[in-house]
Amino acid sequence: MLSRLSLIRQSRRTVAQISHLKPPKQITNEPVKAFAGKDTVEWDLLRASISKFKSASLDVPLVIDGKRIYYNEGGRSHFKQTNPAHHSQVLANVTQATREDVKKAIESSKKAKNDWYKMPFYDRAAVFLKAADLISTKYRYDMLAATMLGQGKNVYQAEIDCITELSDFFRFNVKYASDLYAEQPCESSPGVWNRAEYRPLEGFVYAVTPFNFTAIAGNLIGAPALMGNTVVWKPSQAACLSNYLLLTVLEEAGLPKGVVNFVPGNPVEVTKEVLADKEFSALHFTGSTAVFKQLYGDIQQGVVSNLYRDYPRIVGETGGKNFHLVHPSANIPHAVLSTLRGAFEFQGQKCSATSRLYIPESKSAEFLNDLAGTLSSIKPVNTSASKINGGDLHGFMGPVIHEQSFNKLAKVIEEAKSDPELEIIYGGNYDKSQGWFVEPTVIKTTNPTHKFMSTEFFGPVLTVYEYPDNEFDKICEIIDTTTEYGLTGSIFARDRDAINVADEKLKYSAGNFYVNDKCTGAVVAQQWFGGARMSGTNDKAGSSNILSRFVSIRNIKENFYELTDYKYPSNYE
Ligand SMILES: NC(=O)c1ccc[n+]([C@@H]2O[C@H](COP(=O)([O-])OP(=O)(O)OC[C@H]3O[C@@H](n4cnc5c(N)ncnc54)[C@H](O)[C@@H]3O)[C@@H](O)[C@H]2O)c1
Ligand SMILES: N[C@@H](CCC=O)C(=O)O
């Protein structure tokens, strides 16, 4: 006899991907808390959460089929996630998945799929809506503390990431999914009912997530899961603390076991196991271009060698070499402050960060003096280091993420010191005595196609080129052709003709193009985010478009008429 639960599941079957309810209320962006003034309740709550995470390191397990597996079980190894502002402080001991663990995570995803995708949309949606509420209320301070300490963010940068952007992703995805499901064939002949069923992909989704945004990790797992897919999640080794906390919030919100399987570990090993499975059906990736290219090639190879059942969907957002172009008509003080924020907030570790600047010769001295003067008000590296370790939550800049990144940036700065085409005009210091600190650094180049104008450094390094005022069209062409990327860029001008020229000539240079604003800080549902060329597949996180990548539509035609003859009217004899 069928159990009551099975009967309910069966009856739900038909409503899972076709009918749905509208979200409960008007969905809007989560407001950013300002954290102004030191002695507020918000600060007290935040300090308490920070102390909690600093007082003892957390053991982060694998989570497979809802079960926690810790590194001391079965002789698994583990790695440490440390505080980038104080690298001797271990925040988390993270269990490292073995090949067997990854296999189990895949099996768990396959097993959980059947019940998850048959759940009505409103049940799946409720999990993400509740998670968004938990993030913005009960877990706000823990989420902030885990992201600030683990990923080196100040409170503002953490707030716009793991609170507002993350809850916006979860809530707006519900609205977008609801709208998508409502989109149905617009014609049905008399006696016919045509329907579109938005099936999840047939296999499982592999989410590979970056260190720099907790919100992006949330969207990489959340978008496919909302559409009824199940996910194997390989988090960044440098973001396991916040990412594990996020998973526990989703569980508290009702995410069934096995829907998201959390397997931190060696990226190459984990990925090898996942890409070898016949039912691998999509990669949802954000990270560097080099890694994405590698995975893209591996997947294509798998297709060619008949490894997979489907053509796996490949959705990836990757690197950038984002530009600010300043026209002589621009408001220079505004362009300076926008550039400072775009290039240096969160230490330039946003994919969208400004990393090349083009200024007209006539405004160069004014611009660069103003920039240097304003940069000098940012606390020097060492002071900043000791304060952040002691809890300077108010500072504008913090550490870069890890030793590998620090070493790469130090090498870049040293290279700049000896290159005759480069001149360091601000900064150029770095200090790893306590944390991974790199001073905001501005480098002037005489060569607009120098590799410093085309290579992503992913740190607080800005390269500047002065162009002749009368070569505005030409500089647009140079900007367009200097890099392989096409992520973000800005034009600063008051002259409408200049804005129009830039708009046209830089059409494919950026997937997010800004007029008189910095090229970072895209907000879910406001600036759909992503770039083309080698910056990614441009499926636009924060828009409805991305959800369509995680469904495989089935068209159903139901006929109400019964045939009485095989002939058509034209078949008369
Ligand atoms: N375009 C966007 O939306 C966007 C957003 C955030 C970050 N990014 C990009 O991400 C990069 C910074 O993030 P990161 O340092 O975490 O990037 P990364 O490429 O080093 O790592 C991203 C993820 O890939 C995994 N990984 C690394 N090597 C791998 C391999 N060989 N095989 C399989 N997986 C592998 C990592 O463990 C991590 O989970 C920058 O290039 C930045 O521009 C892009
Ligand atoms: N929403 C972010 C995405 C940054 C990626 O790292 C921005 O536009 O700054």
mmCIF file of all heavy atoms in Angstrom, residues 420-449:
data_model
loop_
_atom_site.group_PDB
_atom_site.id
_atom_site.type_symbol
_atom_site.label_atom_id
_atom_site.label_comp_id
_atom_site.label_asym_id
_atom_site.label_seq_id
_atom_site.Cartn_x
_atom_site.Cartn_y
_atom_site.Cartn_z
ATOM 1 N N PRO A 420 61.009 50.014 -17.743
ATOM 2 C CA PRO A 420 61.122 51.416 -18.174
ATOM 3 C C PRO A 420 59.802 52.001 -18.686
ATOM 4 O O PRO A 420 59.656 53.218 -18.745
ATOM 5 C CB PRO A 420 62.162 51.356 -19.306
ATOM 6 C CG PRO A 420 62.224 49.932 -19.720
ATOM 7 C CD PRO A 420 61.832 49.099 -18.544
ATOM 8 N N GLU A 421 58.849 51.149 -19.020
ATOM 9 C CA GLU A 421 57.561 51.670 -19.504
ATOM 10 C C GLU A 421 56.567 51.911 -18.363
ATOM 11 O O GLU A 421 55.432 52.334 -18.598
ATOM 12 C CB GLU A 421 56.936 50.693 -20.504
ATOM 13 C CG GLU A 421 57.692 50.638 -21.827
ATOM 14 C CD GLU A 421 57.005 49.776 -22.869
ATOM 15 O OE1 GLU A 421 56.363 48.771 -22.498
ATOM 16 O OE2 GLU A 421 57.123 50.094 -24.049
ATOM 17 N N LEU A 422 57.013 51.592 -17.137
ATOM 18 C CA LEU A 422 56.092 51.733 -15.998
ATOM 19 C C LEU A 422 56.710 52.621 -14.927
ATOM 20 O O LEU A 422 57.929 52.602 -14.711
ATOM 21 C CB LEU A 422 55.797 50.358 -15.378
ATOM 22 C CG LEU A 422 55.170 49.293 -16.281
ATOM 23 C CD1 LEU A 422 55.074 47.965 -15.534
ATOM 24 C CD2 LEU A 422 53.778 49.720 -16.757
ATOM 25 N N GLU A 423 55.833 53.349 -14.224
ATOM 26 C CA GLU A 423 56.309 54.174 -13.103
ATOM 27 C C GLU A 423 55.265 54.092 -11.987
ATOM 28 O O GLU A 423 54.071 54.367 -12.224
ATOM 29 C CB GLU A 423 56.443 55.627 -13.580
ATOM 30 C CG GLU A 423 56.939 56.579 -12.510
ATOM 31 C CD GLU A 423 56.682 58.048 -12.873
ATOM 32 O OE1 GLU A 423 56.183 58.319 -13.985
ATOM 33 O OE2 GLU A 423 56.967 58.905 -12.028
ATOM 34 N N ILE A 424 55.724 53.701 -10.812
ATOM 35 C CA ILE A 424 54.782 53.655 -9.685
ATOM 36 C C ILE A 424 54.590 55.085 -9.178
ATOM 37 O O ILE A 424 55.548 55.721 -8.745
ATOM 38 C CB ILE A 424 55.298 52.741 -8.551
ATOM 39 C CG1 ILE A 424 55.412 51.303 -9.073
ATOM 40 C CG2 ILE A 424 54.382 52.809 -7.331
ATOM 41 C CD1 ILE A 424 55.870 50.286 -8.058
ATOM 42 N N ILE A 425 53.363 55.581 -9.265
ATOM 43 C CA ILE A 425 53.146 56.973 -8.838
ATOM 44 C C ILE A 425 52.435 57.051 -7.497
ATOM 45 O O ILE A 425 52.301 58.110 -6.904
ATOM 46 C CB ILE A 425 52.404 57.800 -9.909
ATOM 47 C CG1 ILE A 425 51.083 57.132 -10.279
ATOM 48 C CG2 ILE A 425 53.275 58.017 -11.137
ATOM 49 C CD1 ILE A 425 50.231 58.011 -11.200
ATOM 50 N N TYR A 426 51.964 55.921 -7.001
ATOM 51 C CA TYR A 426 51.438 55.891 -5.621
ATOM 52 C C TYR A 426 51.569 54.470 -5.098
ATOM 53 O O TYR A 426 51.333 53.502 -5.823
ATOM 54 C CB TYR A 426 49.964 56.335 -5.557
ATOM 55 C CG TYR A 426 49.537 56.486 -4.120
ATOM 56 C CD1 TYR A 426 49.736 57.678 -3.447
ATOM 57 C CD2 TYR A 426 49.027 55.393 -3.412
ATOM 58 C CE1 TYR A 426 49.421 57.800 -2.103
ATOM 59 C CE2 TYR A 426 48.712 55.500 -2.071
ATOM 60 C CZ TYR A 426 48.907 56.711 -1.416
ATOM 61 O OH TYR A 426 48.615 56.823 -0.077
ATOM 62 N N GLY A 427 51.919 54.323 -3.826
ATOM 63 C CA GLY A 427 51.941 53.011 -3.179
ATOM 64 C C GLY A 427 53.182 52.217 -3.527
ATOM 65 O O GLY A 427 54.286 52.757 -3.593
ATOM 66 N N GLY A 428 52.999 50.911 -3.729
ATOM 67 C CA GLY A 428 54.118 50.043 -4.072
ATOM 68 C C GLY A 428 54.692 49.309 -2.866
ATOM 69 O O GLY A 428 55.703 48.625 -2.976
ATOM 70 N N ASN A 429 54.036 49.427 -1.701
ATOM 71 C CA ASN A 429 54.518 48.683 -0.530
ATOM 72 C C ASN A 429 53.602 47.495 -0.251
ATOM 73 O O ASN A 429 52.431 47.500 -0.610
ATOM 74 C CB ASN A 429 54.526 49.590 0.706
ATOM 75 C CG ASN A 429 55.495 50.729 0.528
ATOM 76 O OD1 ASN A 429 56.665 50.521 0.220
ATOM 77 N ND2 ASN A 429 54.994 51.953 0.670
ATOM 78 N N TYR A 430 54.187 46.542 0.421
ATOM 79 C CA TYR A 430 53.394 45.377 0.828
ATOM 80 C C TYR A 430 54.021 44.819 2.087
ATOM 81 O O TYR A 430 55.194 45.017 2.358
ATOM 82 C CB TYR A 430 53.328 44.327 -0.287
ATOM 83 C CG TYR A 430 54.633 44.075 -0.993
ATOM 84 C CD1 TYR A 430 55.546 43.141 -0.513
ATOM 85 C CD2 TYR A 430 54.963 44.800 -2.146
ATOM 86 C CE1 TYR A 430 56.754 42.927 -1.159
ATOM 87 C CE2 TYR A 430 56.174 44.589 -2.786
ATOM 88 C CZ TYR A 430 57.067 43.646 -2.295
ATOM 89 O OH TYR A 430 58.264 43.432 -2.910
ATOM 90 N N ASP A 431 53.205 44.121 2.875
ATOM 91 C CA ASP A 431 53.692 43.662 4.180
ATOM 92 C C ASP A 431 52.931 42.400 4.586
ATOM 93 O O ASP A 431 51.698 42.416 4.670
ATOM 94 C CB ASP A 431 53.434 44.781 5.197
ATOM 95 C CG ASP A 431 53.853 44.385 6.604
ATOM 96 O OD1 ASP A 431 54.281 43.228 6.799
ATOM 97 O OD2 ASP A 431 53.722 45.225 7.506
ATOM 98 N N LYS A 432 53.686 41.321 4.818
ATOM 99 C CA LYS A 432 53.010 40.073 5.187
ATOM 100 C C LYS A 432 53.343 39.651 6.610
ATOM 101 O O LYS A 432 53.149 38.498 6.974
ATOM 102 C CB LYS A 432 53.364 38.973 4.195
ATOM 103 C CG LYS A 432 54.826 38.600 4.140
ATOM 104 C CD LYS A 432 54.993 37.392 3.241
ATOM 105 C CE LYS A 432 56.443 36.951 3.199
ATOM 106 N NZ LYS A 432 56.656 35.777 2.394
ATOM 107 N N SER A 433 53.879 40.593 7.414
ATOM 108 C CA SER A 433 54.311 40.180 8.745
ATOM 109 C C SER A 433 53.145 39.602 9.545
ATOM 110 O O SER A 433 53.312 38.664 10.300
ATOM 111 C CB SER A 433 54.936 41.364 9.483
ATOM 112 O OG SER A 433 54.064 42.463 9.430
ATOM 113 N N GLN A 434 51.989 40.137 9.351
ATOM 114 C CA GLN A 434 50.846 39.685 10.134
ATOM 115 C C GLN A 434 49.684 39.195 9.275
ATOM 116 O O GLN A 434 49.046 38.198 9.569
ATOM 117 C CB GLN A 434 50.384 40.858 10.986
ATOM 118 C CG GLN A 434 49.422 40.479 12.062
ATOM 119 C CD GLN A 434 49.285 41.624 13.018
ATOM 120 O OE1 GLN A 434 49.856 41.613 14.107
ATOM 121 N NE2 GLN A 434 48.566 42.638 12.594
ATOM 122 N N GLY A 435 49.448 39.954 8.212
ATOM 123 C CA GLY A 435 48.370 39.584 7.295
ATOM 124 C C GLY A 435 48.844 39.872 5.879
ATOM 125 O O GLY A 435 49.945 40.395 5.678
ATOM 126 N N TRP A 436 47.999 39.576 4.897
ATOM 127 C CA TRP A 436 48.392 39.719 3.493
ATOM 128 C C TRP A 436 48.017 41.118 2.990
ATOM 129 O O TRP A 436 47.016 41.278 2.295
ATOM 130 C CB TRP A 436 47.748 38.632 2.638
ATOM 131 C CG TRP A 436 47.909 37.245 3.208
ATOM 132 C CD1 TRP A 436 46.924 36.411 3.626
ATOM 133 C CD2 TRP A 436 49.145 36.545 3.416
ATOM 134 N NE1 TRP A 436 47.459 35.229 4.080
ATOM 135 C CE2 TRP A 436 48.830 35.286 3.966
ATOM 136 C CE3 TRP A 436 50.499 36.856 3.203
ATOM 137 C CZ2 TRP A 436 49.797 34.338 4.306
ATOM 138 C CZ3 TRP A 436 51.464 35.909 3.536
ATOM 139 C CH2 TRP A 436 51.114 34.677 4.075
ATOM 140 N N PHE A 437 48.843 42.110 3.368
ATOM 141 C CA PHE A 437 48.498 43.505 3.055
ATOM 142 C C PHE A 437 49.306 44.071 1.890
ATOM 143 O O PHE A 437 50.533 44.005 1.881
ATOM 144 C CB PHE A 437 48.687 44.385 4.292
ATOM 145 C CG PHE A 437 47.622 44.122 5.319
ATOM 146 C CD1 PHE A 437 47.841 43.209 6.339
ATOM 147 C CD2 PHE A 437 46.391 44.749 5.230
ATOM 148 C CE1 PHE A 437 46.844 42.929 7.263
ATOM 149 C CE2 PHE A 437 45.384 44.472 6.143
ATOM 150 C CZ PHE A 437 45.618 43.560 7.167
ATOM 151 N N VAL A 438 48.577 44.640 0.950
ATOM 152 C CA VAL A 438 49.203 45.288 -0.196
ATOM 153 C C VAL A 438 48.649 46.707 -0.266
ATOM 154 O O VAL A 438 47.426 46.914 -0.230
ATOM 155 C CB VAL A 438 48.874 44.531 -1.511
ATOM 156 C CG1 VAL A 438 49.484 45.240 -2.714
ATOM 157 C CG2 VAL A 438 49.378 43.085 -1.435
ATOM 158 N N GLU A 439 49.542 47.666 -0.362
ATOM 159 C CA GLU A 439 49.119 49.066 -0.404
ATOM 160 C C GLU A 439 48.407 49.367 -1.726
ATOM 161 O O GLU A 439 48.781 48.811 -2.765
ATOM 162 C CB GLU A 439 50.374 49.941 -0.314
ATOM 163 C CG GLU A 439 50.090 51.338 0.156
ATOM 164 C CD GLU A 439 51.399 52.130 0.323
ATOM 165 O OE1 GLU A 439 52.447 51.708 -0.201
ATOM 166 O OE2 GLU A 439 51.344 53.182 0.954
ATOM 167 N N PRO A 440 47.402 50.250 -1.705
ATOM 168 C CA PRO A 440 46.823 50.645 -2.987
ATOM 169 C C PRO A 440 47.920 51.238 -3.861
ATOM 170 O O PRO A 440 48.667 52.110 -3.418
ATOM 171 C CB PRO A 440 45.775 51.695 -2.617
ATOM 172 C CG PRO A 440 46.082 52.107 -1.219
ATOM 173 C CD PRO A 440 46.806 50.952 -0.576
ATOM 174 N N THR A 441 48.030 50.731 -5.066
ATOM 175 C CA THR A 441 49.174 51.079 -5.911
ATOM 176 C C THR A 441 48.701 51.569 -7.284
ATOM 177 O O THR A 441 47.869 50.923 -7.926
ATOM 178 C CB THR A 441 50.090 49.834 -6.052
ATOM 179 O OG1 THR A 441 50.570 49.504 -4.747
ATOM 180 C CG2 THR A 441 51.262 50.097 -6.980
ATOM 181 N N VAL A 442 49.234 52.741 -7.674
ATOM 182 C CA VAL A 442 48.876 53.315 -8.974
ATOM 183 C C VAL A 442 50.147 53.352 -9.825
ATOM 184 O O VAL A 442 51.191 53.862 -9.390
ATOM 185 C CB VAL A 442 48.294 54.734 -8.814
ATOM 186 C CG1 VAL A 442 47.841 55.281 -10.176
ATOM 187 C CG2 VAL A 442 47.129 54.746 -7.827
ATOM 188 N N ILE A 443 50.046 52.807 -11.018
ATOM 189 C CA ILE A 443 51.207 52.701 -11.907
ATOM 190 C C ILE A 443 50.871 53.405 -13.219
ATOM 191 O O ILE A 443 49.796 53.178 -13.785
ATOM 192 C CB ILE A 443 51.521 51.205 -12.177
ATOM 193 C CG1 ILE A 443 51.862 50.503 -10.860
ATOM 194 C CG2 ILE A 443 52.645 51.055 -13.195
ATOM 195 C CD1 ILE A 443 51.921 48.991 -10.962
ATOM 196 N N LYS A 444 51.797 54.254 -13.653
ATOM 197 C CA LYS A 444 51.570 54.950 -14.921
ATOM 198 C C LYS A 444 52.354 54.212 -16.005
ATOM 199 O O LYS A 444 53.485 53.796 -15.774
ATOM 200 C CB LYS A 444 52.102 56.379 -14.777
ATOM 201 C CG LYS A 444 51.510 57.367 -15.728
ATOM 202 C CD LYS A 444 51.723 58.749 -15.133
ATOM 203 C CE LYS A 444 52.124 59.739 -16.177
ATOM 204 N NZ LYS A 444 52.372 61.052 -15.625
ATOM 205 N N THR A 445 51.748 54.071 -17.170
ATOM 206 C CA THR A 445 52.472 53.442 -18.273
ATOM 207 C C THR A 445 52.503 54.375 -19.491
ATOM 208 O O THR A 445 51.573 55.148 -19.713
ATOM 209 C CB THR A 445 51.860 52.082 -18.685
ATOM 210 O OG1 THR A 445 52.635 51.534 -19.754
ATOM 211 C CG2 THR A 445 50.417 52.201 -19.141
ATOM 212 N N THR A 446 53.579 54.245 -20.252
ATOM 213 C CA THR A 446 53.685 55.026 -21.492
ATOM 214 C C THR A 446 53.193 54.203 -22.677
ATOM 215 O O THR A 446 53.150 54.696 -23.799
ATOM 216 C CB THR A 446 55.160 55.405 -21.738
ATOM 217 O OG1 THR A 446 55.949 54.205 -21.617
ATOM 218 C CG2 THR A 446 55.631 56.444 -20.736
ATOM 219 N N ASN A 447 52.854 52.952 -22.417
ATOM 220 C CA ASN A 447 52.470 52.047 -23.494
ATOM 221 C C ASN A 447 51.035 51.551 -23.266
ATOM 222 O O ASN A 447 50.795 50.748 -22.355
ATOM 223 C CB ASN A 447 53.461 50.868 -23.508
ATOM 224 C CG ASN A 447 53.059 49.806 -24.504
ATOM 225 O OD1 ASN A 447 52.070 49.948 -25.227
ATOM 226 N ND2 ASN A 447 53.820 48.727 -24.539
ATOM 227 N N PRO A 448 50.084 51.991 -24.083
ATOM 228 C CA PRO A 448 48.681 51.626 -23.825
ATOM 229 C C PRO A 448 48.398 50.141 -24.001
ATOM 230 O O PRO A 448 47.356 49.662 -23.548
ATOM 231 C CB PRO A 448 47.902 52.453 -24.847
ATOM 232 C CG PRO A 448 48.869 52.730 -25.945
ATOM 233 C CD PRO A 448 50.221 52.824 -25.298
ATOM 234 N N THR A 449 49.314 49.420 -24.650
ATOM 235 C CA THR A 449 49.074 47.979 -24.800
ATOM 236 C C THR A 449 50.033 47.158 -23.925
ATOM 237 O O THR A 449 50.199 45.956 -24.140
ATOM 238 C CB THR A 449 49.208 47.542 -26.285
ATOM 239 O OG1 THR A 449 50.528 47.887 -26.729
ATOM 240 C CG2 THR A 449 48.190 48.221 -27.167
#
